[in-house]
Amino acid sequence: MKTLAASPSNTGFPHRHLLGIEGLKPAEITLLLDLAESYVEQNRQPDKKRTVLRGRTLINLFFETSTRTRTSFELAAKRMGADVINISVSDSAIKKGETLLDTAMTLNAMHPDVLVVRTPFSGAVNLLSQKVNGAVVNAGDGSHEHPTQALLDALTIRRRLGRLQGLTVAICGDIAHSRVARSNVHLLNTMGARVRVVAPPTLLPGSFARLGVECFTDMRKGLEGCDIVMMLRLQSERMQGAYVPSVHEYFRYWGLDYDKLEMAKPDALIMHPGPMNRGVEIDSEVADDLGRSLIREQVEVGVAVRMACLDVLTRNLAPANGGAA
Amino acid sequence: MAARDIAQGDARKPATGRVAYVNARLLDPASGLDTKGGLVTDGEAIAALGPEVTAKSHPEGTIIVDCGGHCLAPGLVDMRVQVREPGEEHKETIASASRAAVAGGVTAMVCLPNTEPLIDDVAVLEFVARRAREVKLCKIFAYATVTKGLKGEALTEMGLLSEAGAAGFTDGTAAVSNPQVMRRALSYARGFDALVIQHPEEKHLAGTGAMNEGEIATRLGLPGIPVAAELIMVERDLRLVEMTQGRYHAAHLSTASALDEIRQAKRRGLRVTCDTAPPYFALNESAVGDYRTFAKLSPPLRSEDDRRAVVAALKDGTIDVIASDHAPQDQDSKRVPFMQAEFGTSGLETLLAVSLELYHGGHLPLLKVLELMTVRPADLLRLPLGRLKAGAPADLVLFDLDRPWQIDADLLVSKSKNSAFDERPVQGVVLRTVVDGRAVFVRDAAG
């Protein structure tokens, strides 16, 4: 297999890897979203199988536990006809002392076409991508980026409201530690939306304003007049006093309930990347509000978005099976 | 002496009807008022005041109190008091501290949270509020702790506690020593515009120190607490305030160098404030003398140069508030070798008289002295108190500015008799204290 991408510029997506949203151009994002749109329909058909990725091998390399993202990538790859291997933290050689790069080199020697990687360390996916021949997709690196989540969020919004340009989106919760927040900030800003971030001061670094967002510590003010409320998960170890005194207090001031939601536009939509902590960052009733919650739709279009990403990235690789792509 | 008729009934009953305090020297630091005149209360509020209020022309039923030309000012707001209840009721209770407060002209006090149990959740805060309502002499507010269990690690529920009435957050007589915790406390509290109050002492430097580090400590063979213990903590905190833009208040400052840091920080525009307590402008380390445990304080009494610097900082506005730093200790805590004695002095009843030395000694104008104990702490804590103004709560102190007396620890109303000022001759006697229109303290003609 050749090591370099075959004239990537032909595909309209001149990147070998998908490591983050930062640096992607509006046209590149639109390309992925448009392509994903077509896969949403396909995924609703009884026959979901395609052969675009026939002959390709995809390895899901997850150093953090994950249900939905890993499954979503696996389904996406299988529906596209690829062979999929899952490696999770419990059975990875990292546990035995192997370094990240050694693991990458070992896997690389088996000629995977795509490596989907999740790691608790910011920047680790970039590092790994420099040592392998295939395409690398960042499925979340520490507090840095989670590009396919931002893309699926964008597609979900676009399908419902028809656009991203000009919308006001409030991203609420553990902004400091959130890769979802960072990827979404980059994507929404690139596509012309107005982005706000809302968090307790301890979870909202002052330098976030430098990323081109408006910062709020008062959730009611942050939600005022917005079109989309995007909630983030708050990890339990962060609610025991170091950042936030308690779950009780967090929900009171930063949990999404109907009372705070009233500040947003009357038809404002609610999103959450999952998994949700009901009663911590979101009220159960709100999460299950079929008229306003896009949470299930996010999961659905997630598969389509990953199919589009795999499609585009493998087009940039040397042709498989003598050129049938 | 002023009429005693209205003090005979139950002082805890809500005030009704009109009382006219006439023939008074009205002093209101907030407005700069200093004039002969009178003040009328109607029920719990001030109805009118000014030179035109005299003994004449009041509606029938108005009780007339002749102030004998003495000073009538807003009741004192004491922002740093340890009441020891719950947990150490043998030293002081909410009731005994309240009696001491009103005897000292204090109409509102704020309790430190280092009780047992600690005030680190809403339930204990509400207990203190309930006891205050039962005792109902002066107004009582309380701080909650910055960290749960005073462990210096996890933040308390500052939002819920603020809503429940916490006047601010402090680990009381302990410093928040971990800088990351202090940073997050300032940052998190900023979200609720809550005040974080620090006991500025670097605990490792203070160590087992019992008094100010220096010549006297050396002669006495006592381990010292260096000036740097205060300075380093204030310096560090000011850096954290710059990072977080939190609301920060340094309690009971005692050293020239720490005050200089605050002075410069204020010039830079930081939102910082500080207070001191009477011992730090009225006494120096020589008060420890022959191992006098009543003079064992935290922070320790400092050098004469530091004492003068405190006075200078009061003059130039670096210090925002004078608080009593009332720290009652029973005999068992003080009648022991100096090293084993507890820190602290009783302060509620001597706050006004000792502070008036600043006026009698020609250091500060009278209104300025009163301002530091009335409108300044009230504004800092966002309490609608400390003013003589129509419509404001009728919280008043009537005092004889000049009458000399000698402080006698044994005669203190407080349950604990530990006063660093024992036997000190002072001038200025509280004659009457009024809270929400109720005369909660009236000095006997003989007293």
PDB file of all heavy atoms in Angstrom, chain A residues 200-202 217 239-246 248-249 252-254, chain B residues 148 153-161 163 184 187-188 190-192:
ATOM      1  N   PRO A 200     -19.979  27.464  35.194  1.00  0.00           N
ATOM      2  CA  PRO A 200     -19.489  28.076  36.430  1.00  0.00           C
ATOM      3  C   PRO A 200     -18.104  28.670  36.159  1.00  0.00           C
ATOM      4  O   PRO A 200     -17.374  28.121  35.330  1.00  0.00           O
ATOM      5  CB  PRO A 200     -19.367  26.893  37.403  1.00  0.00           C
ATOM      6  CG  PRO A 200     -20.065  25.749  36.765  1.00  0.00           C
ATOM      7  CD  PRO A 200     -20.149  26.005  35.320  1.00  0.00           C
ATOM      8  N   PRO A 201     -17.748  29.746  36.853  1.00  0.00           N
ATOM      9  CA  PRO A 201     -16.450  30.382  36.578  1.00  0.00           C
ATOM     10  C   PRO A 201     -15.279  29.412  36.677  1.00  0.00           C
ATOM     11  O   PRO A 201     -14.300  29.557  35.957  1.00  0.00           O
ATOM     12  CB  PRO A 201     -16.340  31.456  37.658  1.00  0.00           C
ATOM     13  CG  PRO A 201     -17.708  31.672  38.162  1.00  0.00           C
ATOM     14  CD  PRO A 201     -18.505  30.440  37.918  1.00  0.00           C
ATOM     15  N   THR A 202     -15.399  28.409  37.551  1.00  0.00           N
ATOM     16  CA  THR A 202     -14.298  27.460  37.725  1.00  0.00           C
ATOM     17  C   THR A 202     -14.155  26.530  36.526  1.00  0.00           C
ATOM     18  O   THR A 202     -13.145  25.851  36.391  1.00  0.00           O
ATOM     19  CB  THR A 202     -14.539  26.594  38.977  1.00  0.00           C
ATOM     20  OG1 THR A 202     -15.919  26.258  39.026  1.00  0.00           O
ATOM     21  CG2 THR A 202     -14.147  27.341  40.229  1.00  0.00           C
ATOM     22  N   THR A 217     -21.428  33.248  32.990  1.00  0.00           N
ATOM     23  CA  THR A 217     -21.485  32.355  34.141  1.00  0.00           C
ATOM     24  C   THR A 217     -22.926  32.260  34.664  1.00  0.00           C
ATOM     25  O   THR A 217     -23.250  31.350  35.401  1.00  0.00           O
ATOM     26  CB  THR A 217     -20.569  32.839  35.287  1.00  0.00           C
ATOM     27  OG1 THR A 217     -20.910  34.185  35.607  1.00  0.00           O
ATOM     28  CG2 THR A 217     -19.107  32.790  34.860  1.00  0.00           C
ATOM     29  N   MET A 239     -17.700  17.260  40.412  1.00  0.00           N
ATOM     30  CA  MET A 239     -18.814  17.892  41.156  1.00  0.00           C
ATOM     31  C   MET A 239     -18.655  17.703  42.643  1.00  0.00           C
ATOM     32  O   MET A 239     -19.602  17.805  43.388  1.00  0.00           O
ATOM     33  CB  MET A 239     -20.155  17.263  40.789  1.00  0.00           C
ATOM     34  CG  MET A 239     -20.425  17.101  39.366  1.00  0.00           C
ATOM     35  SD  MET A 239     -21.949  16.184  39.198  1.00  0.00           S
ATOM     36  CE  MET A 239     -21.465  14.897  38.095  1.00  0.00           C
ATOM     37  N   GLN A 240     -17.474  17.361  43.095  1.00  0.00           N
ATOM     38  CA  GLN A 240     -17.341  17.072  44.522  1.00  0.00           C
ATOM     39  C   GLN A 240     -16.538  18.126  45.253  1.00  0.00           C
ATOM     40  O   GLN A 240     -15.981  17.870  46.305  1.00  0.00           O
ATOM     41  CB  GLN A 240     -16.755  15.674  44.706  1.00  0.00           C
ATOM     42  CG  GLN A 240     -17.814  14.612  44.474  1.00  0.00           C
ATOM     43  CD  GLN A 240     -17.229  13.317  43.950  1.00  0.00           C
ATOM     44  OE1 GLN A 240     -16.049  13.069  44.091  1.00  0.00           O
ATOM     45  NE2 GLN A 240     -18.073  12.508  43.332  1.00  0.00           N
ATOM     46  N   GLY A 241     -16.466  19.292  44.684  1.00  0.00           N
ATOM     47  CA  GLY A 241     -15.867  20.377  45.452  1.00  0.00           C
ATOM     48  C   GLY A 241     -14.706  21.071  44.778  1.00  0.00           C
ATOM     49  O   GLY A 241     -14.466  22.245  45.020  1.00  0.00           O
ATOM     50  N   ALA A 242     -13.967  20.348  43.942  1.00  0.00           N
ATOM     51  CA  ALA A 242     -12.812  20.998  43.337  1.00  0.00           C
ATOM     52  C   ALA A 242     -13.263  22.100  42.374  1.00  0.00           C
ATOM     53  O   ALA A 242     -12.756  23.208  42.402  1.00  0.00           O
ATOM     54  CB  ALA A 242     -11.959  19.975  42.616  1.00  0.00           C
ATOM     55  N   TYR A 243     -14.254  21.789  41.542  1.00  0.00           N
ATOM     56  CA  TYR A 243     -14.741  22.770  40.572  1.00  0.00           C
ATOM     57  C   TYR A 243     -16.142  23.261  40.929  1.00  0.00           C
ATOM     58  O   TYR A 243     -16.458  24.423  40.747  1.00  0.00           O
ATOM     59  CB  TYR A 243     -14.766  22.167  39.168  1.00  0.00           C
ATOM     60  CG  TYR A 243     -13.398  21.833  38.644  1.00  0.00           C
ATOM     61  CD1 TYR A 243     -12.842  20.574  38.843  1.00  0.00           C
ATOM     62  CD2 TYR A 243     -12.642  22.783  37.972  1.00  0.00           C
ATOM     63  CE1 TYR A 243     -11.563  20.269  38.378  1.00  0.00           C
ATOM     64  CE2 TYR A 243     -11.374  22.488  37.500  1.00  0.00           C
ATOM     65  CZ  TYR A 243     -10.847  21.233  37.709  1.00  0.00           C
ATOM     66  OH  TYR A 243      -9.594  20.945  37.250  1.00  0.00           O
ATOM     67  N   VAL A 244     -16.964  22.335  41.378  1.00  0.00           N
ATOM     68  CA  VAL A 244     -18.365  22.626  41.688  1.00  0.00           C
ATOM     69  C   VAL A 244     -18.660  21.951  43.028  1.00  0.00           C
ATOM     70  O   VAL A 244     -18.242  20.824  43.241  1.00  0.00           O
ATOM     71  CB  VAL A 244     -19.277  22.036  40.584  1.00  0.00           C
ATOM     72  CG1 VAL A 244     -20.720  22.164  40.960  1.00  0.00           C
ATOM     73  CG2 VAL A 244     -19.000  22.707  39.248  1.00  0.00           C
ATOM     74  N   PRO A 245     -19.342  22.663  43.949  1.00  0.00           N
ATOM     75  CA  PRO A 245     -19.531  22.101  45.290  1.00  0.00           C
ATOM     76  C   PRO A 245     -20.318  20.802  45.322  1.00  0.00           C
ATOM     77  O   PRO A 245     -19.990  19.904  46.082  1.00  0.00           O
ATOM     78  CB  PRO A 245     -20.294  23.185  46.034  1.00  0.00           C
ATOM     79  CG  PRO A 245     -20.134  24.420  45.251  1.00  0.00           C
ATOM     80  CD  PRO A 245     -19.896  24.016  43.825  1.00  0.00           C
ATOM     81  N   SER A 246     -21.386  20.718  44.538  1.00  0.00           N
ATOM     82  CA  SER A 246     -22.238  19.535  44.640  1.00  0.00           C
ATOM     83  C   SER A 246     -23.133  19.433  43.417  1.00  0.00           C
ATOM     84  O   SER A 246     -23.340  20.402  42.691  1.00  0.00           O
ATOM     85  CB  SER A 246     -23.131  19.618  45.892  1.00  0.00           C
ATOM     86  OG  SER A 246     -24.048  20.696  45.748  1.00  0.00           O
ATOM     87  N   HIS A 248     -26.304  18.965  43.587  1.00  0.00           N
ATOM     88  CA  HIS A 248     -27.484  19.765  43.935  1.00  0.00           C
ATOM     89  C   HIS A 248     -27.309  21.219  43.456  1.00  0.00           C
ATOM     90  O   HIS A 248     -28.161  21.781  42.773  1.00  0.00           O
ATOM     91  CB  HIS A 248     -27.632  19.703  45.455  1.00  0.00           C
ATOM     92  CG  HIS A 248     -28.793  20.480  45.988  1.00  0.00           C
ATOM     93  ND1 HIS A 248     -28.880  20.844  47.299  1.00  0.00           N
ATOM     94  CD2 HIS A 248     -29.896  20.971  45.401  1.00  0.00           C
ATOM     95  CE1 HIS A 248     -29.992  21.519  47.499  1.00  0.00           C
ATOM     96  NE2 HIS A 248     -30.626  21.616  46.365  1.00  0.00           N
ATOM     97  N   GLU A 249     -26.143  21.808  43.838  1.00  0.00           N
ATOM     98  CA  GLU A 249     -25.908  23.199  43.466  1.00  0.00           C
ATOM     99  C   GLU A 249     -25.722  23.352  41.951  1.00  0.00           C
ATOM    100  O   GLU A 249     -26.190  24.313  41.353  1.00  0.00           O
ATOM    101  CB  GLU A 249     -24.697  23.750  44.227  1.00  0.00           C
ATOM    102  CG  GLU A 249     -24.335  25.151  43.787  1.00  0.00           C
ATOM    103  CD  GLU A 249     -23.838  26.042  44.911  1.00  0.00           C
ATOM    104  OE1 GLU A 249     -24.306  25.912  46.049  1.00  0.00           O
ATOM    105  OE2 GLU A 249     -22.980  26.887  44.633  1.00  0.00           O
ATOM    106  N   ARG A 252     -29.021  23.285  40.209  1.00  0.00           N
ATOM    107  CA  ARG A 252     -29.774  24.495  40.523  1.00  0.00           C
ATOM    108  C   ARG A 252     -29.382  25.676  39.624  1.00  0.00           C
ATOM    109  O   ARG A 252     -30.233  26.413  39.138  1.00  0.00           O
ATOM    110  CB  ARG A 252     -29.558  24.849  41.985  1.00  0.00           C
ATOM    111  CG  ARG A 252     -30.131  26.171  42.429  1.00  0.00           C
ATOM    112  CD  ARG A 252     -31.658  26.146  42.407  1.00  0.00           C
ATOM    113  NE  ARG A 252     -32.158  27.363  43.015  1.00  0.00           N
ATOM    114  CZ  ARG A 252     -32.360  27.482  44.326  1.00  0.00           C
ATOM    115  NH1 ARG A 252     -32.145  26.466  45.130  1.00  0.00           N
ATOM    116  NH2 ARG A 252     -32.776  28.613  44.818  1.00  0.00           N
ATOM    117  N   TYR A 253     -28.087  25.823  39.402  1.00  0.00           N
ATOM    118  CA  TYR A 253     -27.643  27.012  38.673  1.00  0.00           C
ATOM    119  C   TYR A 253     -27.265  26.745  37.215  1.00  0.00           C
ATOM    120  O   TYR A 253     -27.308  27.651  36.407  1.00  0.00           O
ATOM    121  CB  TYR A 253     -26.471  27.677  39.411  1.00  0.00           C
ATOM    122  CG  TYR A 253     -26.869  28.148  40.791  1.00  0.00           C
ATOM    123  CD1 TYR A 253     -26.486  27.455  41.925  1.00  0.00           C
ATOM    124  CD2 TYR A 253     -27.685  29.275  40.939  1.00  0.00           C
ATOM    125  CE1 TYR A 253     -26.882  27.873  43.189  1.00  0.00           C
ATOM    126  CE2 TYR A 253     -28.085  29.703  42.192  1.00  0.00           C
ATOM    127  CZ  TYR A 253     -27.689  28.995  43.320  1.00  0.00           C
ATOM    128  OH  TYR A 253     -28.097  29.421  44.558  1.00  0.00           O
ATOM    129  N   TRP A 254     -26.846  25.511  36.920  1.00  0.00           N
ATOM    130  CA  TRP A 254     -26.391  25.261  35.546  1.00  0.00           C
ATOM    131  C   TRP A 254     -27.053  24.060  34.889  1.00  0.00           C
ATOM    132  O   TRP A 254     -26.675  23.639  33.811  1.00  0.00           O
ATOM    133  CB  TRP A 254     -24.863  25.119  35.511  1.00  0.00           C
ATOM    134  CG  TRP A 254     -24.188  26.415  35.841  1.00  0.00           C
ATOM    135  CD1 TRP A 254     -24.017  27.486  35.005  1.00  0.00           C
ATOM    136  CD2 TRP A 254     -23.630  26.804  37.093  1.00  0.00           C
ATOM    137  NE1 TRP A 254     -23.390  28.508  35.672  1.00  0.00           N
ATOM    138  CE2 TRP A 254     -23.136  28.116  36.952  1.00  0.00           C
ATOM    139  CE3 TRP A 254     -23.486  26.154  38.322  1.00  0.00           C
ATOM    140  CZ2 TRP A 254     -22.522  28.797  38.004  1.00  0.00           C
ATOM    141  CZ3 TRP A 254     -22.872  26.829  39.358  1.00  0.00           C
ATOM    142  CH2 TRP A 254     -22.403  28.137  39.191  1.00  0.00           C
TER     143      TRP A 254
ATOM    144  N   LYS B 148     -15.534  22.705  52.545  1.00  0.00           N
ATOM    145  CA  LYS B 148     -16.323  21.752  53.324  1.00  0.00           C
ATOM    146  C   LYS B 148     -15.472  21.187  54.452  1.00  0.00           C
ATOM    147  O   LYS B 148     -14.337  20.780  54.234  1.00  0.00           O
ATOM    148  CB  LYS B 148     -16.781  20.603  52.427  1.00  0.00           C
ATOM    149  CG  LYS B 148     -17.858  20.990  51.435  1.00  0.00           C
ATOM    150  CD  LYS B 148     -18.190  19.811  50.515  1.00  0.00           C
ATOM    151  CE  LYS B 148     -19.055  20.291  49.352  1.00  0.00           C
ATOM    152  NZ  LYS B 148     -19.045  19.365  48.229  1.00  0.00           N
ATOM    153  N   GLU B 153     -10.145  21.901  51.017  1.00  0.00           N
ATOM    154  CA  GLU B 153     -10.109  21.179  49.739  1.00  0.00           C
ATOM    155  C   GLU B 153     -11.324  21.465  48.865  1.00  0.00           C
ATOM    156  O   GLU B 153     -11.213  22.125  47.843  1.00  0.00           O
ATOM    157  CB  GLU B 153      -9.996  19.669  50.002  1.00  0.00           C
ATOM    158  CG  GLU B 153      -8.663  19.273  50.640  1.00  0.00           C
ATOM    159  CD  GLU B 153      -8.720  17.941  51.359  1.00  0.00           C
ATOM    160  OE1 GLU B 153      -9.744  17.236  51.243  1.00  0.00           O
ATOM    161  OE2 GLU B 153      -7.744  17.606  52.063  1.00  0.00           O
ATOM    162  N   ALA B 154     -12.483  20.935  49.284  1.00  0.00           N
ATOM    163  CA  ALA B 154     -13.675  21.030  48.441  1.00  0.00           C
ATOM    164  C   ALA B 154     -14.486  22.283  48.783  1.00  0.00           C
ATOM    165  O   ALA B 154     -14.671  22.616  49.955  1.00  0.00           O
ATOM    166  CB  ALA B 154     -14.534  19.786  48.626  1.00  0.00           C
ATOM    167  N   LEU B 155     -14.973  22.969  47.769  1.00  0.00           N
ATOM    168  CA  LEU B 155     -15.761  24.182  47.983  1.00  0.00           C
ATOM    169  C   LEU B 155     -17.128  23.860  48.565  1.00  0.00           C
ATOM    170  O   LEU B 155     -17.719  22.826  48.253  1.00  0.00           O
ATOM    171  CB  LEU B 155     -15.967  24.917  46.654  1.00  0.00           C
ATOM    172  CG  LEU B 155     -14.717  25.331  45.888  1.00  0.00           C
ATOM    173  CD1 LEU B 155     -15.109  26.063  44.603  1.00  0.00           C
ATOM    174  CD2 LEU B 155     -13.827  26.221  46.745  1.00  0.00           C
ATOM    175  N   THR B 156     -17.648  24.772  49.382  1.00  0.00           N
ATOM    176  CA  THR B 156     -19.016  24.619  49.883  1.00  0.00           C
ATOM    177  C   THR B 156     -20.011  25.083  48.817  1.00  0.00           C
ATOM    178  O   THR B 156     -19.626  25.671  47.805  1.00  0.00           O
ATOM    179  CB  THR B 156     -19.236  25.458  51.156  1.00  0.00           C
ATOM    180  OG1 THR B 156     -18.831  26.799  50.873  1.00  0.00           O
ATOM    181  CG2 THR B 156     -18.434  24.912  52.321  1.00  0.00           C
ATOM    182  N   GLU B 157     -21.285  24.830  49.074  1.00  0.00           N
ATOM    183  CA  GLU B 157     -22.333  25.212  48.111  1.00  0.00           C
ATOM    184  C   GLU B 157     -22.566  26.721  48.212  1.00  0.00           C
ATOM    185  O   GLU B 157     -23.540  27.193  48.790  1.00  0.00           O
ATOM    186  CB  GLU B 157     -23.616  24.436  48.399  1.00  0.00           C
ATOM    187  CG  GLU B 157     -23.488  22.954  48.127  1.00  0.00           C
ATOM    188  CD  GLU B 157     -24.693  22.149  48.595  1.00  0.00           C
ATOM    189  OE1 GLU B 157     -25.291  22.508  49.627  1.00  0.00           O
ATOM    190  OE2 GLU B 157     -25.043  21.163  47.918  1.00  0.00           O
ATOM    191  N   MET B 158     -21.655  27.476  47.608  1.00  0.00           N
ATOM    192  CA  MET B 158     -21.669  28.931  47.773  1.00  0.00           C
ATOM    193  C   MET B 158     -22.934  29.580  47.216  1.00  0.00           C
ATOM    194  O   MET B 158     -23.406  30.580  47.743  1.00  0.00           O
ATOM    195  CB  MET B 158     -20.448  29.540  47.101  1.00  0.00           C
ATOM    196  CG  MET B 158     -19.151  29.207  47.814  1.00  0.00           C
ATOM    197  SD  MET B 158     -17.770  30.037  47.002  1.00  0.00           S
ATOM    198  CE  MET B 158     -16.472  29.718  48.173  1.00  0.00           C
ATOM    199  N   GLY B 159     -23.470  29.005  46.171  1.00  0.00           N
ATOM    200  CA  GLY B 159     -24.684  29.574  45.583  1.00  0.00           C
ATOM    201  C   GLY B 159     -25.866  29.412  46.526  1.00  0.00           C
ATOM    202  O   GLY B 159     -26.555  30.376  46.876  1.00  0.00           O
ATOM    203  N   LEU B 160     -26.088  28.176  46.950  1.00  0.00           N
ATOM    204  CA  LEU B 160     -27.229  27.888  47.821  1.00  0.00           C
ATOM    205  C   LEU B 160     -27.064  28.590  49.165  1.00  0.00           C
ATOM    206  O   LEU B 160     -28.026  29.108  49.730  1.00  0.00           O
ATOM    207  CB  LEU B 160     -27.365  26.375  48.025  1.00  0.00           C
ATOM    208  CG  LEU B 160     -27.630  25.581  46.733  1.00  0.00           C
ATOM    209  CD1 LEU B 160     -27.480  24.080  46.974  1.00  0.00           C
ATOM    210  CD2 LEU B 160     -29.029  25.889  46.191  1.00  0.00           C
ATOM    211  N   LEU B 161     -25.835  28.619  49.681  1.00  0.00           N
ATOM    212  CA  LEU B 161     -25.578  29.294  50.957  1.00  0.00           C
ATOM    213  C   LEU B 161     -25.793  30.807  50.832  1.00  0.00           C
ATOM    214  O   LEU B 161     -26.343  31.433  51.745  1.00  0.00           O
ATOM    215  CB  LEU B 161     -24.159  28.990  51.434  1.00  0.00           C
ATOM    216  CG  LEU B 161     -23.948  27.584  52.031  1.00  0.00           C
ATOM    217  CD1 LEU B 161     -22.487  27.175  52.005  1.00  0.00           C
ATOM    218  CD2 LEU B 161     -24.506  27.511  53.450  1.00  0.00           C
ATOM    219  N   GLU B 163     -27.859  32.244  48.795  1.00  0.00           N
ATOM    220  CA  GLU B 163     -29.319  32.434  48.751  1.00  0.00           C
ATOM    221  C   GLU B 163     -29.940  32.289  50.133  1.00  0.00           C
ATOM    222  O   GLU B 163     -30.928  32.934  50.454  1.00  0.00           O
ATOM    223  CB  GLU B 163     -29.962  31.406  47.819  1.00  0.00           C
ATOM    224  CG  GLU B 163     -29.977  31.849  46.377  1.00  0.00           C
ATOM    225  CD  GLU B 163     -30.830  30.926  45.526  1.00  0.00           C
ATOM    226  OE1 GLU B 163     -31.902  30.492  45.981  1.00  0.00           O
ATOM    227  OE2 GLU B 163     -30.392  30.649  44.388  1.00  0.00           O
ATOM    228  N   ARG B 184      -9.893  28.813  42.979  1.00  0.00           N
ATOM    229  CA  ARG B 184     -11.228  28.349  42.564  1.00  0.00           C
ATOM    230  C   ARG B 184     -12.321  28.956  43.434  1.00  0.00           C
ATOM    231  O   ARG B 184     -13.409  29.252  42.949  1.00  0.00           O
ATOM    232  CB  ARG B 184     -11.286  26.822  42.590  1.00  0.00           C
ATOM    233  CG  ARG B 184     -10.446  26.241  41.460  1.00  0.00           C
ATOM    234  CD  ARG B 184     -10.643  24.748  41.303  1.00  0.00           C
ATOM    235  NE  ARG B 184      -9.801  24.247  40.223  1.00  0.00           N
ATOM    236  CZ  ARG B 184      -9.167  23.083  40.260  1.00  0.00           C
ATOM    237  NH1 ARG B 184      -9.300  22.293  41.295  1.00  0.00           N
ATOM    238  NH2 ARG B 184      -8.435  22.701  39.234  1.00  0.00           N
ATOM    239  N   SER B 187     -12.854  32.414  42.199  1.00  0.00           N
ATOM    240  CA  SER B 187     -13.458  32.332  40.875  1.00  0.00           C
ATOM    241  C   SER B 187     -14.935  31.925  40.978  1.00  0.00           C
ATOM    242  O   SER B 187     -15.815  32.570  40.399  1.00  0.00           O
ATOM    243  CB  SER B 187     -12.654  31.316  40.052  1.00  0.00           C
ATOM    244  OG  SER B 187     -13.262  31.070  38.829  1.00  0.00           O
ATOM    245  N   TYR B 188     -15.193  30.869  41.752  1.00  0.00           N
ATOM    246  CA  TYR B 188     -16.568  30.366  41.860  1.00  0.00           C
ATOM    247  C   TYR B 188     -17.462  31.385  42.561  1.00  0.00           C
ATOM    248  O   TYR B 188     -18.589  31.641  42.132  1.00  0.00           O
ATOM    249  CB  TYR B 188     -16.569  29.044  42.620  1.00  0.00           C
ATOM    250  CG  TYR B 188     -17.887  28.314  42.551  1.00  0.00           C
ATOM    251  CD1 TYR B 188     -18.251  27.608  41.415  1.00  0.00           C
ATOM    252  CD2 TYR B 188     -18.790  28.355  43.615  1.00  0.00           C
ATOM    253  CE1 TYR B 188     -19.477  26.953  41.337  1.00  0.00           C
ATOM    254  CE2 TYR B 188     -20.007  27.701  43.546  1.00  0.00           C
ATOM    255  CZ  TYR B 188     -20.343  26.999  42.398  1.00  0.00           C
ATOM    256  OH  TYR B 188     -21.561  26.368  42.320  1.00  0.00           O
ATOM    257  N   ARG B 190     -17.185  34.500  42.556  1.00  0.00           N
ATOM    258  CA  ARG B 190     -17.446  35.624  41.663  1.00  0.00           C
ATOM    259  C   ARG B 190     -18.756  35.424  40.897  1.00  0.00           C
ATOM    260  O   ARG B 190     -19.482  36.375  40.617  1.00  0.00           O
ATOM    261  CB  ARG B 190     -16.290  35.778  40.667  1.00  0.00           C
ATOM    262  CG  ARG B 190     -16.420  36.920  39.705  1.00  0.00           C
ATOM    263  CD  ARG B 190     -15.159  37.081  38.861  1.00  0.00           C
ATOM    264  NE  ARG B 190     -14.772  35.877  38.162  1.00  0.00           N
ATOM    265  CZ  ARG B 190     -15.210  35.543  36.941  1.00  0.00           C
ATOM    266  NH1 ARG B 190     -16.037  36.312  36.294  1.00  0.00           N
ATOM    267  NH2 ARG B 190     -14.817  34.418  36.380  1.00  0.00           N
ATOM    268  N   GLY B 191     -19.055  34.172  40.562  1.00  0.00           N
ATOM    269  CA  GLY B 191     -20.304  33.874  39.862  1.00  0.00           C
ATOM    270  C   GLY B 191     -21.529  34.303  40.660  1.00  0.00           C
ATOM    271  O   GLY B 191     -22.588  34.540  40.092  1.00  0.00           O
ATOM    272  N   PHE B 192     -21.393  34.385  41.980  1.00  0.00           N
ATOM    273  CA  PHE B 192     -22.522  34.796  42.829  1.00  0.00           C
ATOM    274  C   PHE B 192     -22.252  36.156  43.458  1.00  0.00           C
ATOM    275  O   PHE B 192     -22.971  36.573  44.358  1.00  0.00           O
ATOM    276  CB  PHE B 192     -22.760  33.740  43.912  1.00  0.00           C
ATOM    277  CG  PHE B 192     -23.096  32.400  43.344  1.00  0.00           C
ATOM    278  CD1 PHE B 192     -22.128  31.434  43.156  1.00  0.00           C
ATOM    279  CD2 PHE B 192     -24.395  32.118  42.936  1.00  0.00           C
ATOM    280  CE1 PHE B 192     -22.435  30.202  42.601  1.00  0.00           C
ATOM    281  CE2 PHE B 192     -24.722  30.893  42.384  1.00  0.00           C
ATOM    282  CZ  PHE B 192     -23.740  29.932  42.215  1.00  0.00           C
TER     283      PHE B 192
END
